[in-house]
Amino acid sequence: MDLKSQINLEKLPRHIAVIMDGNGRWAKQHGKPRVFGHRNGVKSVRETTEAAAELGVEYLTLYAFSTENWNRPQFEINALMTLLVETLRKEVETLNENNIRLQAIGDLTKLPKKTYKALMEGIKATSQNTRMTLVLALNYSARWEILNAVKELAQKIDNKQLKQAEINEKTFEHALSTHGIPDPELLIRTSGETRISNFLLWQIAYAELYFTPIFWPEFRKNNLYDAIIDFQQRERRFGKTSEQLA
Ligand code: FPP
C-alpha cells in the first residue's frame, strides 16, 4: 500500500530533525571515496526536503556539519565545504520555487568565508518564504549552544539587564540558536547508529527518536514516510498517564 496515504496529515510532527549518517560507509560499500557518499547524500537532502514540504511539515533541521567534524581529514572537510557552497548556490532557486525558507544554526562565523557567504546569501534570498523552514546545523554542537546561552544570560545579569530569578525555560530558550523554532517532535538518525551525538540536546527533551539502518545516501521519501508513520503510532504522554490523554 502507498505509504504516503497512511500518514495522518492532522497529526504531522511540526518539526523533524535528522542526523544524516552513513555517507562514508555507503561509499565504502560501493568501493568509492567518502566524498562520493557526501555527493550522493545531497540527493537525499533534496528528496527529504521535498517530501517534508509536500506533507506540510513546518520545520526540517538537518545536521550537516558538527563541531567535531573538524577532526576529519582536511581533504574531506574541504570537499564538504565546497559541496555545501555548490549545493546552496544551485538550490536557492528550487527553495524559492517551493516557498521554502533557509535558516542555519551553529557557530557560523567560524565556517570558511565562502561557505559563510553562500549560506548568508541563501538565507537572505529565501527569507520571505512561508511554506517550510529548512534549518541547516553547521559547525553545530549542542554543548556549544548551551554554553553559549549560559554566557549570554550571565552577561545580561552582569549588565543588569536580567535578574537571576528571571532565568527560566523561556529566557533560556531565547538564548539558544534555535529561538523561535518549535522543539523537534521527531528525531531521525540513519545508518544504524543509536546515538544523539551532541545534537539539539535541550530541544529533544520530548522528541520521539527513530533509528533506521539505512545509510543516508539511500534515504528516500518512503523512508521519511515510514518514520512519520512510526511516530504517529506512538503515544506521546509528556509525563501524563494514558488515561489522562484519553
Ligand atoms: C555523515 O556521514 C554525514 C556528514 C557528516 C555530512 C552530511 C552532508 C551532506 C549530506 C552533504 C551536504 C549537505 C547539505 C545540507 C547540502 P559520515 O561521513 O559520518 O558517514 P560514516 O559514519 O559512514 O563515516
Side-chain angles (χ1 to χ4, degrees):
M1 193 173 137
D2 174 26
L3 279 176
K4 194 177 176 187
S5 63
Q6 291 177 41
I7 295 174
N8 179 353
L9 297 177
E10 306 291 311
K11 285 190 176 164
L12 275 181
R14 284 185 72 194
H15 182 180
I16 301 178
V18 187
I19 303 176
M20 310 181 287
D21 198 10
N23 293 351
R25 277 164 287 164
W26 181 83
K28 199 172 173 191
Q29 258 186 1
H30 289 78
K32 297 275 173 64
R34 298 177 55 82
V35 174
F36 180 74
H38 298 317
R39 288 206 163 267
N40 279 275
V42 175
K43 285 186 201 158
S44 310
V45 169
R46 212 176 287 128
E47 281 238 352
T48 307
T49 307
E50 204 178 285
E54 281 166 1
L55 285 171
V57 171
E58 291 173 54
Y59 294 86
L60 175 68
T61 299
L62 303 178
Y63 205 178
F65 196 87
S66 76
T67 313
E68 291 81 13
N69 285 153
W70 295 114
N71 296 323
R72 294 195 172 196
Q74 192 58 42
F75 170 78
E76 186 177 342
I77 297 174
N78 293 346
L80 267 170
M81 291 300 153
T82 308
L83 186 60
L84 263 165
V85 175
E86 255 178 44
T87 311
L88 284 165
R89 296 225 169 103
K90 216 161 65 193
E91 302 293 346
V92 165
E93 226 177 272
T94 327
L95 291 174
N96 274 332
E97 279 163 16
N98 288 286
N99 196 12
I100 298 170
R101 175 172 69 151
L102 181 70
Q103 284 195 346
I105 54 170
D107 197 356
L108 306 176
T109 54
K110 304 236 167 65
L111 290 169
K113 269 205 183 82
K114 267 192 177 167
T115 315
Y116 181 77
K117 191 165 169 268
L119 185 65
M120 290 306 137
E121 282 169 4
I123 290 174
K124 202 170 157 215
T126 61
S127 64
Q128 302 303 316
N129 297 340
T130 53
R131 186 173 172 212
M132 184 178 85
T133 302
L134 172 65
V135 184
L136 295 185
L138 282 166
N139 193 20
Y140 175 89
S141 96
R143 287 186 177 178
W144 161 81
E145 180 186 42
I146 290 169
L147 283 177
N148 216 38
V150 170
K151 284 184 205 162
E152 191 182 307
L153 295 180
Q155 179 83 60
K156 282 193 171 158
I157 291 174
D158 276 358
N159 297 345
K160 310 249 182 285
Q161 291 167 292
L162 188 77
K163 296 193 182 80
Q164 187 189 321
E166 287 167 343
I167 297 181
N168 52 37
E169 289 194 11
K170 203 165 155 232
T171 49
F172 189 77
E173 270 162 12
H174 192 78
L176 294 172
S177 55
T178 49
H179 64 89
I181 300 174
D183 286 345
E185 288 164 88
L186 171 61
L187 171 71
I188 300 172
R189 181 170 190 154
T190 59
S191 91
E193 305 292 351
T194 48
R195 289 185 294 275
I196 302 301
S197 301
N198 215 349
F199 192 43
L200 302 173
L201 292 180
W202 171 277
Q203 297 87 340
I204 58 163
Y206 291 101
E208 294 294 333
L209 310 180
Y210 180 87
F211 300 103
T212 168
I214 293 185
F215 290 143
W216 180 250
E218 284 182 348
F219 196 86
R220 291 293 172 264
K221 288 186 179 183
N222 270 342
N223 302 110
L224 182 74
Y225 301 153
D226 265 333
I228 296 174
I229 292 164
D230 190 275
F231 166 85
Q232 293 187 333
Q233 283 162 355
R234 301 187 196 183
E235 184 181 55
R236 308 190 72 219
R237 290 200 298 273
F238 303 100
K240 295 181 180 170
T241 66
S242 298
E243 290 71 25
Q244 283 176 299
L245 295 174

